[in-house]
Amino acid sequence: GGGGGGILRLGFLSSDFGPHPVGWAMLPLIEQLVASTRLEVVCLALDLPERQHAGTAERRAIAAAAHAFFDLTRLTDAEAARAIDGLRLHVLVNLVGHTAGARHALTHYRPAPVQASYYGYAGTTALPQMHYALLDAAAAPPPLAAAEFTERMAYFPFSHFVAAHARRYAHAPHASRLAHPWPAGEWPAGEEERATWSPALRRVDSSDGGPPLRREDLGLGLSPRRLRGVALCNFNQLYKLDPDSFGAWANALRRLPEASLWLSRVSVRRGWAEHAEQSLRAQAAAHGVTGRLGFVPKLPEADFIPARSLADLMVDNRWYNAHTTGADSLWAGVPAVALQGRGLASRASGSFLAALGLGYTVAPSWKAYEDLICSLASTPERLQLLRRRLLDARSDAPFFDLEGLARAQERLVHGMWRAHEASPASGPKMHIIAARART
């Protein structure tokens, strides 16, 4: 168990401390926790046999950022639990959940006095020894938490998502500065092109120093007419798409004769994207929207977020929201419309948009969802105003405030530890809330 004292020892347990979305998110968060809080951060790696991260650049960076790093991969569950217990952590945060690499026996051994789940899995662990889930009230309001989670909640004051885009993609706002469709006379002051700029000239800088990228350079497979129209987009992995959402998008496309829908051609499953693309084109034909789908290929990392700013409106799917891809599109300055979900995986967009002050673009029903898409897409002034609000929020809203997230996590760790000290034997009785920091 953990010891006393003013500095609390926080452990992160993961099988993804490497080139993986969890690893990419945790690196800047760990750096910020070390820089901005008094927590002592310890990382514990449990790699999969088929996914070894030792020696990768990401693993080296995470190990360098934390106060201490231990690779427990080769230990048995009992050996790993004893090793963790010897570190005298106060709070152990599990970033795995029920994903690849889960070793739930470690949780059963309770190697730290307080155990919590976070980030890597969108749902309850249903493990009796898992005391808390670190979330936010928009993603998991108390009624949902009571119905679907065995854990108590440890609530961040805003979104729980690690949106470190200001650090990882700091170049994107400048690279996409000429991609935003402002009305005449509203181009930001100081831009040399403002006198001649028009929507047809929307473009983003290329990372290789070559010609700027325009819509026609993205390999979407759309006709020139469609390239000039409003571009709806969803960059989720294609396996996350569902028939209900696709049907709603098709309904919107029928109501918007010039619009197109951009999807991602990238797939984590080798050889699967081509089959999925063919199937989706067949579905589009069945819905009466042939020729309206564009598929964005894999782009260099420095280009893929700026290139998204050439789209107009992100339309999130219903049952499993965009997480990393949704945050990427919001950082690119693309407004979003979402449908209010019932479970955690379907409430990510609501959490993101609430933290950006744009919660009013989360629709309460399918009809409202379709109507809001069509209203924004057919009214350029409204869409441009929403885009301007998003771009303003990108710099001052809490969603992209990594330091604020780290400080909130510190308050939650202290809150969970105080609750444990008050009742060490019985487990947590109440949710923990990190109050909003004073400004």
Side-chain angles (χ1 to χ4, degrees):
I7 296 178
L8 298 186
R9 205 167 293 120
L10 170 65
F12 287 114
L13 180 72
S14 180
S15 60
D16 297 312
F17 285 137
H20 182 277
V22 171
W24 293 326
M26 293 310 296
L27 171 58
L29 178 59
I30 291 166
E31 291 174 336
Q32 195 69 60
L33 285 167
V34 170
S36 303
T37 77
R38 297 184 68 225
L39 296 173
E40 183 178 333
V41 180
V42 179
C43 290
L44 307 161
L46 294 168
D47 292 354
L48 288 164
E50 67 274 17
R51 197 163 68 202
Q52 295 284 318
H53 298 306
T56 63
E58 291 85 354
R59 167 64 62 83
R60 292 195 298 271
I62 292 170
H67 290 104
F69 188 100
F70 300 94
D71 190 341
L72 309 179
T73 299
R74 298 184 182 278
L75 302 185
T76 67
D77 292 333
E79 291 169 340
R82 284 194 295 270
I84 296 171
D85 181 73
L87 296 173
R88 297 183 62 79
L89 302 175
H90 295 83
V91 176
L92 177 61
V93 173
N94 186 308
L95 302 171
V96 186
H98 294 292
T99 64
R103 289 172 63 174
H104 297 314
L106 283 177
T107 303
H108 175 75
Y109 283 121
R110 195 177 173 183
V114 180
Q115 301 190 108
S117 65
Y118 180 49
Y119 208 77
Y121 179 69
T124 181
T125 65
L127 299 173
Q129 296 81 15
M130 191 70 75
H131 304 116
Y132 293 97
L134 277 66
L135 290 164
D136 62 82
L144 183 147
E148 298 192 6
F149 283 80
T150 58
E151 301 90 347
R152 297 296 183 185
M153 295 293 106
Y155 281 131
F156 287 91
F158 299 104
S159 179
H160 67 283
F161 190 80
V162 182
H165 293 67
R167 180 175 303 189
R168 191 172 181 208
Y169 303 112
H171 71 288
H174 181 77
S176 61
R177 68 195 184 283
L178 301 179
H180 305 295
W182 305 132
E186 291 192 16
W187 186 250
E191 291 291 347
E192 295 178 359
E193 294 90 344
R194 64 183 180 274
T196 58
W197 185 87
S198 70
L201 298 178
R202 290 173 63 184
R203 60 199 185 275
V204 297
D205 293 343
S206 175
S207 63
D208 62 7
L213 297 173
R214 295 183 172 85
R215 284 184 174 185
E216 54 265 32
D217 301 316
L218 299 182
L220 293 163
L222 292 166
S223 68
R225 174 190 174 192
R226 301 300 178 201
L227 288 172
R228 291 191 297 269
V230 172
L232 311 180
C233 68
N234 182 297
F235 297 115
N236 263 333
Q237 291 278 338
L238 296 178
Y239 67 81
K240 289 186 178 181
L241 307 190
D242 62 90
D244 294 334
S245 299
F246 192 85
W249 301 336
N251 292 342
L253 289 175
R254 286 196 299 271
R255 294 168 62 180
L256 300 165
E258 304 300 317
S260 62
L261 172 63
W262 299 3
L263 301 173
S264 175
R265 188 171 283 150
V266 179
S267 175
V268 296
R269 300 174 181 177
R270 185 174 300 173
W272 194 77
E274 182 178 352
H275 171 76
E277 183 176 334
Q278 293 172 352
S279 177
L280 288 165
R281 290 193 188 279
Q283 286 295 314
H287 282 281
V289 288
T290 301
R292 310 287 288 279
L293 302 186
F295 289 85
V296 180
K298 186 174 183 178
L299 297 170
E301 184 178 14
D303 291 335
F304 83 89
I305 286 187
R308 293 181 184 205
S309 61
L310 294 170
D312 293 303
L313 184 64
M314 182 176 78
V315 289
D316 206 1
N317 36 291
R318 169 65 171 84
W319 300 108
Y320 203 110
N321 286 174
H323 288 66
T324 300
T325 58
D328 291 346
S329 295
L330 292 167
W331 182 248
V334 181
V337 172
L339 183 65
Q340 184 66 68
R342 291 193 294 270
L344 178 60
S346 60
R347 296 179 66 90
S349 281
S351 168
F352 297 2
L353 292 167
L356 287 163
L358 301 172
Y360 52 87
T361 62
V362 180
S365 67
W366 282 112
K367 182 178 185 305
Y369 176 72
E370 290 180 24
D371 287 347
L372 183 55
I373 293 171
C374 293
S375 174
L376 290 170
S378 59
T379 314
E381 295 79 8
R382 288 189 65 200
L383 188 55
Q384 289 158 359
L385 178 61
L386 182 59
R387 193 169 188 128
R388 175 66 62 83
R389 288 175 177 169
L390 173 58
L391 289 171
D392 289 343
R394 189 168 61 180
S395 61
D396 57 25
F399 182 63
F400 292 111
D401 179 8
L402 187 62
E403 182 178 353
L405 182 75
R407 292 188 182 280
Q409 186 151 74
E410 181 181 33
R411 297 195 296 276
L412 288 177
V413 168
H414 279 274
M416 290 186 288
W417 183 248
R418 285 195 298 270
H420 167 74
E421 288 188 307
S423 182
S426 61
K429 296 290 191 296
M430 296 167 47
H431 301 313
I432 302 294
I433 301 173
R436 298 183 182 187
R438 293 189 179 97
T439 56

